[in-house]
Every structure is written in structure tokens, then in C-alpha cells.
Amino acid sequence: LKRLERVGSSFLLAARQITAMANDAGSLDSLEKAMGTAQHHDAVSGTSKQHVAYDYAKMIQAGINDAAKFVVETLRLHFAASVDKGDLGNLVLCQLRNETICNVTQRATQVQGSYVYLVVYNALARERSEYIAVPVAVNDSKFKVSKLVVASEDHISWQDVPSAIVSNENHAGSKSAAKFVLHFPAEDIPAAGASVYSIVMVPGATSNSLSPASYSYPNPAVSRTLPRKLLQKSNSYDSIQDFFVVSSGQIEARFSHSHGILTHICKVGGVECQSAHQEWGYYTSFDTTKHAKSKDDTQNSGAYIFRPSDPNQELHVLEPDPSK
């Protein structure tokens, strides 16, 4: 629910900006109401009962679905004249890309010569650059990725963009997930604006024009919050010191290679370091069917009630497992 609340909030921000193109804010009513309701301290905090959480999630998802129809249609009409090989008639919002699922791209990348057009929107108030991951059906073919750089009634120009295909590990075991993912850099997406990309399977063997390091780092979660100039330093492993370093370019976190736990937070280069202690644990929660000492003891552990099975119970500390 917490993740869905953040997704809904981000999508609402972008949708509000896009309403400026169509002058139709009424299309966002259901999402506005759902996100307003989700600001309740039991919703955004995740402390509501499970059946209530399901209801919050149902409202947010219904709001996203309604707003998506308006957003997709507005973007389709705005960019359709710029695309010379189709009218974006089946433009959709791929909401399951985090599960490596997008039916449109998975179907289109099975047929050589089929074009896929991506509209990549940036809701930030500054230019943004990100690596885009697109679910594709095959990896034994060559894909050409291009960016629309000039568009007018008389002239359309496309610029080639490097790309690479990697296998999808599919840790969730989803049957609908694509087996492969096409990565490419979306550079300088305009503030509160969009860039258009085309993907087409062309004759030839697989050809990756990106190195794995390019799209595996910077981490997308980091790149959304730090300026690009701070993202030059990659992860590294010091075999002598026995620690693994994750760095933003200014601050680095050191993790024990033996145990996988955080040990130090330092300025880059290890000039100043602060020791850190990290451990994971749990307590056994109170269950009236197992731990009640009288028929009047009916309060289970749950929302707002953090009640261990024994008042004197100590935290069960988990031993570090480097394999996880």
C-alpha cells in the first residue's frame, strides 16, 4: 500500500501537468479523491487493518486507471502528428513494468519490422536523464532504438540511441513476465515534458552497444535524488579490507563482505568514517489462541498494538547470512 500510495501521488502530479495540454482537470477527479483519502494516517503509514488496506489500494488503483485513460489520450493526440509510421492508436500506460510485464512491447517485439513508440514523461521541474527498461520477447535479434529530436509538419528526425538486452531473472516466477529486458538511456528529458523513442527489430544478430555497467549503475533510486555529477563513482570491493563500498560520489557506505551488514559510513576516500552497527531481529507477537492466560485476555498484537507473546521477551536477533 505504501508503494502504491507513492506511485499514485507521482502519477497524479504528472497527470495534473498534462491537463494543461487538454484543459480538462475533471478527468482526474477519482484519483484526486483516492489520493486525498489515502493521506489518512492509517493509510499512508501502513497501520490500517488488512481489509482496510485492500480498500485503500482498490480506490487508488481505480483512480490511476481512470486518470490513465485521459493521460494516454492527451499524449497520443499531442505526439501523433510527429510519428510518421503510425498514429499511436494503441498507446497504453504499462503499469506492470516493475514486474517486467508490458503486453504491447512483448507482442510487438516478436515480429521483425514492428515499431514500438515510447513516450517518456518527466514530471520534474528540471531536465532528467534515466535508463529505461523495456520488456521484450526475444534476445536473438537486433533492436534499433531511436529518439525523436526534431519534429515539425515538414520534417521528422530520429537519432540512434545505444541499447543492450539482458535476461530477466524473474525472481517472482511470474508466467506473464518477459524473458528479456531492453535497456537504453533517455537523456535530457525536458522539464514537465516528454521525449519520444522508437524501437524496432531489424535484421542482424544481437548487438549490445551499452556495457552492463552503464545501465546497472547509477541505481535509479539514487539517480532520482542526486545530481548527475555525483553519480560518477561506482560500487567497488576491497578484498584486503573485506568490505564492499556503495558510493554516491560524496558519501560511501561500507558493508562487510563476510556478513553483508553495514559497518561504516564515510566521506569518499575514507578520510572521515563513522562506525555503524546493524542487526535484524523479531519478537513473537501475542496470539490469544496460544498465549492468553484467561478468557478476558482478548487483545491480539496488531495495528497500533505491538504486543509480544511474553512481556519480558527479548528480541530474537538473526545471525547475518552472507548468502542473502
Side-chain angles (χ1 to χ4, degrees), residues 253-296:
R254 297 182 177 181
F255 295 84
S256 166
H257 182 71
S258 303
H259 302 98
I261 60 175
L262 179 68
T263 59
H264 295 84
I265 298 176
C266 311
K267 286 188 175 181
V268 168
V271 179
E272 297 180 21
C273 285
Q274 177 67 49
S275 298
H277 177 73
Q278 183 184 46
E279 62 182 16
W280 301 93
Y282 68 94
Y283 70 86
T284 304
S285 59
F286 190 91
D287 183 341
T288 55
T289 63
K290 299 177 181 179
H291 308 120
K293 296 181 180 179
S294 72
K295 63 179 181 180
D296 297 324

Side-chain angles (χ1 to χ4, degrees), residues 55-102:
D55 192 54
Y56 282 128
K58 183 178 179 180
M59 287 191 294
I60 295 174
Q61 188 59 59
I64 292 175
N65 292 344
D66 284 346
K69 297 174 185 177
F70 159 75
V71 168
V72 167
E73 180 63 12
T74 302
L75 292 175
R76 186 187 72 80
L77 294 174
H78 185 75
F79 288 106
S82 302
V83 178
D84 60 345
K85 300 180 181 67
D87 60 358
L88 302 182
N90 62 344
L91 188 67
V92 297
L93 174 66
C94 286
Q95 297 191 47
L96 299 178
R97 275 202 316 122
N98 63 311
E99 299 181 30
T100 324
I101 299 173
C102 181

